[in-house]
Each structure stands twice: as structure tokens, then as C-alpha cells.
Amino acid sequence: MTTWATINTELGIFLDDSTATAYPVANRIASFNRAQQFFAVTHTADIKTATPTLTAGQFSVPSDLIEIAGIKVQDANTLDWRWLEPITIFPASEPREQGFYISDGKITILDTEIQGTTILYYTGYTAIASDSTTLSLPFWAEWAVMNLSMAYILYPYMVGVADLRRWQTKREAGDPEDNPPRRQAEYFWDIYKKIITGFKIQDRGAGYRS
């Protein structure tokens, strides 16, 4: 499995900054984590399973949740498991006895006489914390996310160049839109898009109901 130490070394090669002088490690980690998050939300997420304890038929929405894949409960009488349907509650809605809904940071289960609850949900990938952190990204996504992270790494430098160019008065020095870091970031963004378009976006509507 790939570790952050390996990714960071490769970033140093591709950014021509093996000593992390121009692009500090803190910037690289923050950028890579944001790139992972963007990839998970917009293309392919990881999936987690949790067995929450209900209090008055409710439990807190997982802090790392992107989208619910499914919730199943175990009947206290038959011991059978069944999947719940998500429902929408309106002030004038008819009373419901089954299903679940989300409100005020809580997931409410309407079913009664249950003794177990399992939630499957889409989430992000392991955040980078140190050199030994092992990536949980799909192998094929590593190079794509690296390119997106390099675009993010250049953000502070794009802002700096843009700020300096506000004060230029000589035409030969370029105009405020001449921003090499931004153009390089756009290149990295294009590489990211070219890679991920070769892979089908995750079908979250299908869920993991089995």
C-alpha cells in the first residue's frame, strides 16, 4: 500500500522541490487532503459500516458522511434484517411507521421493536497525518489526486502573483491576468479531469443492499 512518504517524495520530484522549501509539507498535506475530499464527493467515495446505538429512535449523523448508502434494522421478534426506505417529513405528512429521515443532525428511525441498526454510508478517504499514513484511495486514483493536489498547492502563489500585478504600470511587465502559477494549476486540473473521465462515476443510487 502507498504511504504519504512515497507520495510526498513524488510531489517533490514533479514540483521540482525535493527539499520542500518552495512548497512546504504542511501545504502539501492540506492540499492533498482537500484533493482527496473533492474526489470522494464528486466521483468515487469510500464506504463505511457503523452500528450506532439508538436513543429515542435516533442517532447522530456520522461526521464524515457524504451520502447514505442504506440503513437496515433487525426485527426484535423474527430476528430478520430489513432495509429502510428514506422518507421526507412535511408538516402535513401522514404519520409513518417505517423508514428513516434526517433532521437537525440526527437520523430518526421510525420502525419500532428493533434490536439492531446498521448504517452503510459513503465517506472520504484516510486523511494524511504523517509520513506513515497509508492511503486508502483506489490505486488508479492516486495520480489523478496528486495532480489535483498540485493545483491546490499553487493557490497561495497564484494569490501572491495576482496581488503584485495589481500595482504594475508598465505594459511590458504584463497585465494583471498574466499569472504563471494559475496557468500551471489549470494544467494540473486538466490532467486530473483527463484521468478520472476514463473511469465511471460511482453509482450511489444502487447502494450496497445485499
Side-chain angles (χ1 to χ4, degrees):
M1 299 292 286
T2 307
T3 64
W4 168 246
T6 299
I7 295 295
N8 191 34
T9 298
E10 292 184 359
L11 286 174
I13 294 171
F14 296 118
L15 291 169
D16 192 22
D17 183 34
S18 59
T19 60
T21 302
Y23 308 106
V25 173
N27 181 353
R28 298 183 188 189
I29 290 176
S31 298
F32 195 85
N33 283 336
R34 286 298 180 185
Q36 288 193 115
Q37 184 182 55
F38 181 86
F39 171 72
V41 170
T42 62
H43 195 281
T44 302
D46 203 353
I47 190 164
K48 259 185 192 179
T49 301
T51 54
T53 299
L54 273 61
T55 302
Q58 295 182 322
F59 63 95
S60 297
V61 173
S63 60
D64 57 348
L65 179 142
I66 294 175
E67 188 174 333
I68 293 175
I71 296 177
K72 62 181 180 179
V73 295
Q74 186 178 34
D75 190 290
N77 299 311
T78 66
L79 302 184
D80 292 333
W81 287 87
R82 63 178 181 273
W83 291 99
L84 303 183
E85 292 296 327
I87 62 174
T88 302
I89 299 294
F90 295 105
S93 297
E94 292 292 327
R96 301 286 293 272
E97 295 182 352
Q98 290 185 324
F100 71 91
Y101 66 91
I102 303 175
S103 178
D104 296 327
K106 300 284 187 181
I107 297 176
T108 299
I109 306 294
L110 298 178
D111 299 54
T112 58
E113 296 188 12
I114 57 176
Q115 65 177 31
T117 304
T118 299
I119 177 173
L120 289 82
Y121 64 96
Y122 299 99
T123 185
Y125 296 96
T126 303
I128 303 303
S130 66
D131 281 352
S132 61
T133 301
T134 299
L135 272 63
S136 57
L137 277 171
F139 174 76
W140 60 265
E142 289 181 7
W143 179 228
V145 173
M146 281 181 64
N147 274 274
L148 182 57
S149 71
M150 286 190 283
Y152 288 167
I153 286 168
L154 293 175
Y155 269 28
Y157 309 93
M158 288 187 282
V159 173
V161 171
D163 186 57
L164 286 173
R165 290 197 177 277
R166 288 189 304 149
W167 311 106
Q168 289 180 345
T169 57
K170 293 183 179 181
R171 180 63 185 173
E172 61 268 22
D175 59 55
E177 288 299 306
D178 289 332
N179 192 322
R182 188 188 69 183
R183 293 180 180 179
Q184 186 63 54
E186 290 172 348
Y187 170 80
F188 289 139
W189 168 243
D190 286 341
I191 295 297
Y192 168 79
K193 290 189 293 184
K194 286 177 181 177
I195 295 172
I196 65 167
T197 52
F199 297 86
K200 184 180 178 181
I201 294 178
Q202 188 175 51
D203 182 8
R204 295 176 190 168
Y208 282 76
R209 304 184 179 190
S210 60

